[in-house]
Amino acid sequence: MARPLQFDRQQALDSAMQVFWLHGYYSSSLQQLLDAMQINRGSLYAAFGDKAGLFTEVLNNYQCSMQVVVIELLGNQENPAKGIRDVFEFTVFSLPKDALAMGCLLVNTVNELSPMNSELTAQASEKLMLVEQAFIDACRRAQTLKQMNKMVSAEEAGRMLMNSMIGLRVQCRRGAAKSHLRQSVSPLLNMLMPN
């Protein structure tokens, strides 16, 4: 009979997420992960299988803790244009500098692992596609409510916003100033959703 796990799984995942987020998948050593999670090697293998299994759960945890908020903001039914602007405020402009410098775990993963690890890259890409679809749906609602012009289709607008978001998150990792980040996205938002 297997022994029950002797650690808090959610706390361990949160700790592992910080290590992966800061160092990336390949640069996060097993010992760094074990130290952060405060577990031993046997517990990691029993609970997660291996490093890739742990990382898969970390990506799912990230989706539940961060990405769900973004999708919820984009789901603003009454004022989708505000929801779109709120996503940029939440994910870029309101974050403290140290959190901003970490970028987005999903974007970081795709940048680091593609094409070296197609399975983990595909998992991160799939989660990013959910955000892109939420942008497209928000644009469609905004156009229906006449909060967004129709110079481009909802699909094109959603993809432009997603590309802008990904670019901003990469710029965050580079240490770009918030004022420069805002200057790079404000024209796009104002073009799509003139006040």
Side-chain angles (χ1 to χ4, degrees), residues 5-13 37 39:
L5 296 177
Q6 301 293 319
F7 63 91
D8 181 322
R9 189 180 189 88
Q10 186 58 53
Q11 186 176 18
L13 281 171
M37 297 166 73
I39 63 174

Side-chain angles (χ1 to χ4, degrees), residues 15 17 43 50 56 62 78 111 113 117 129 136 157 177 188 195:
S15 298
M17 181 169 66
S43 293
D50 57 12
T56 295
Y62 180 84
E78 294 179 12
N111 285 337
L113 299 183
N117 189 316
M129 289 299 295
I136 291 169
L188 174 61
N195 294 329

Side-chain angles (χ1 to χ4, degrees), residues 161-174:
L161 291 165
M162 185 64 182
N163 289 338
S164 181
M165 177 63 68
I166 290 171
L168 288 173
R169 297 313 301 242
V170 171
Q171 290 288 71
C172 291
R173 292 279 290 186
R174 285 188 56 238

